[in-house]
Structures are given as structure tokens and as C-alpha cells.
Amino acid sequence: MRRDAWAGGQQRAGAETSARAQQPAGALLGPLLAGSAQPHQVRRAARGLGLPERGRYAVVVLGTAPMVPDRDRDRDGARWCWCGEVGVVLLGRGGLDGPVGSLGEAGAGPGGVSPVVGGLAELGLARRLAGAALLTCGPGTHEIVTLDERLPTALVASRPELSARLLAEVFGPLLVLDPAEQALLVGTLEVWLECGGSVGRAAVRLRCHRNTVFNRLRRLERLTSRSLSHPGELVETVLALDALRLSAARG
């Protein structure tokens, strides 16, 4: 009798294991990515997907659902599981560069990538951070960006009502200019920032005299009522520039 009971228990356990193995990755990952998973759901997902509960994970959110299998493995050993347009990657020997590069090679963008988190229980946070990174990508592009390389822009993009207010408050007078003049001033500001605030280097890039660059920047300061030499006001101007780029990209 005990042997029969033990055998029956083994059959039930085997059936449960088989059922877990047959569950789609999305059904197991869904609660984790939503940030609502209970500890038993984390354990069940780990068993069903064959993944460790603790490990170096990141989440990728793509603008469109990728044509990839439910499971995949990169050259550096990184392991993937997909739930629609959201991918969970257990990092292999390297860091994020390998997985990001493989998605870029596949033309899978636009996409946002979260920072690395320490386990399956943190995938909900990683999903939100990856979504914030995706907001910084221009529509129709194939760029794959990490949150850490777009933090200021992500801050602006994740709060559209504040972004619109910042744009109007800082660049309002600039936006009523003739489009050609507006583009000239904004372009000069962008090059000056890329040149680390060097008027001379910006002049070389723009193929004009340094005084021309200086005069354009001074005009920009008058229009925005922000000084580019004041750290706090420069931060406002740079964030407003991000808001302007996002607004232009979204049409």
C-alpha cells in the first residue's frame, strides 16, 4: 500500500513538473514583469523556465514584438526568455554589451534596456526602467539603448506633462522664431554642448568664426532668459533641449 501511495505521489509530482514545463514563458514571466509576483510564483517561474532565482538579469522592452523563439542563447552564454515585446536575459560571461549588440544586429529596435538586477523577483522594477529607456528612442529607429546612457532624457520623457511645461517655459520664445533661425540656434547649442562648452571647437565644427558661435549663444540666452554659464540654468536648458528633441521626434 505504501509503495502504491509513493508511486502515485511520484506520478502526481511528475505530472506537475511536466505541466510547469509546458507553460508558456509568458504565463510564468507575466506576474514577475508586472511586479506583483509572490515568492511562490518566483519559485515556480524559476523551475518552469530552468532559471536561477538569483542571478544577473536585465529586461529589454522593444517597440514591436520580436520574431524570436521563446528561448534563445547568445554567443557569450546569455539566456533569453520572451513575453511578447519584453525580453528577460540572464547575463552570461559578459555584461549588457553582448545582448544589446545581438539585438542591434538583428534589427530588433527600437528598444530600451534596464540596468542589471539581482534576481527574478526584481524583474518588475527592471521592466519599468527598460520602458523608461524605450521612451527616449525616436519612432521608426532601430536603436537599442540602455537606461544608464539616457538617464536625463528618460527623466524628461517619463513625465510628458512636465516635459511640455519645461519646453514652454525655457524654449517658448525660441519656438515662435522662423524655423530656419530656430534650427540655427538649436544646432549651435547642440554642437557647443558636444564640444564640451568650447566655442573654438564648436566654430571649427560649424565652419564659422568663433564670434559667430558666441553671438548665437548669447542670443539664445536672451531668448530663454537662461545663462549657459550658470550651472542650474544650464541644466534647465539641456533638459529643455531633450524635451524639444522628443517633441520633434513624436511629430
Side-chain angles (χ1 to χ4, degrees):
M1 179 69 71
R2 285 198 297 267
R3 182 177 298 174
D4 291 343
W6 178 84
Q10 289 296 98
Q11 289 175 349
R12 286 193 296 273
E16 290 172 1
T17 301
S18 177
R20 283 196 299 269
Q22 291 173 4
Q23 281 187 279
L28 294 167
L29 289 174
L32 277 65
L33 294 170
S36 58
Q38 299 300 311
H40 72 276
Q41 292 175 301
V42 175
R43 292 191 294 271
R44 183 174 63 190
R47 290 194 299 268
L49 297 169
L51 295 172
E53 290 186 44
R54 300 295 300 171
R56 296 168 59 242
Y57 287 95
V59 170
V60 176
V61 178
L62 299 178
T64 56
M67 298 298 292
V68 297
D70 286 342
R71 285 172 153 185
D72 202 2
R73 187 182 290 268
D74 281 343
R75 290 186 296 271
D76 67 352
R79 295 177 59 188
W80 289 90
C81 290
W82 289 91
C83 180
E85 76 281 3
V86 181
V88 173
V89 56
L90 173 63
L91 298 177
R93 295 180 298 275
L96 285 172
D97 290 346
V100 170
S102 67
L103 288 173
E105 291 170 5
V113 184
S114 76
V116 178
V117 296
L120 293 176
E122 300 174 57
L123 292 186
L125 170 63
R127 163 68 179 82
R128 294 193 296 273
L129 295 178
L134 176 62
L135 291 175
T136 71
C137 297
T141 68
H142 290 287
E143 58 184 348
I144 305 291
V145 301
T146 64
L147 177 68
D148 288 347
E149 67 181 294
R150 295 282 182 90
L151 273 174
T153 308
L155 284 171
V156 174
S158 61
R159 296 297 299 273
E161 69 283 0
L162 293 182
S163 174
R165 178 62 185 168
L166 178 68
L167 180 58
E169 180 68 16
V170 177
F171 279 172
L174 186 72
L175 300 179
V176 300
L177 296 178
D178 176 86
E181 185 177 6
Q182 179 188 138
L184 182 67
L185 295 178
V186 170
T188 300
L189 174 63
E190 290 176 326
V191 171
W192 178 75
L193 290 170
E194 291 168 4
C195 291
S198 169
V199 170
R201 287 166 55 196
V204 172
R205 284 270 302 275
L206 294 168
R207 299 182 179 180
C208 63
H209 195 277
R210 57 182 293 121
N211 287 344
T212 301
V213 175
F214 183 82
N215 290 335
R216 291 176 187 172
L217 295 176
R218 295 294 80 79
R219 175 159 168 72
L220 187 76
E221 288 181 319
R222 289 193 297 272
L223 286 167
T224 62
S225 300
R226 266 75 176 176
S227 170
L228 296 177
S229 59
H230 187 285
E233 294 177 4
L234 176 59
V235 168
E236 285 188 314
T237 302
V238 172
L239 291 178
L241 181 60
D242 277 334
L244 180 65
R245 290 168 177 155
L246 290 169
S247 176
R250 293 168 182 166

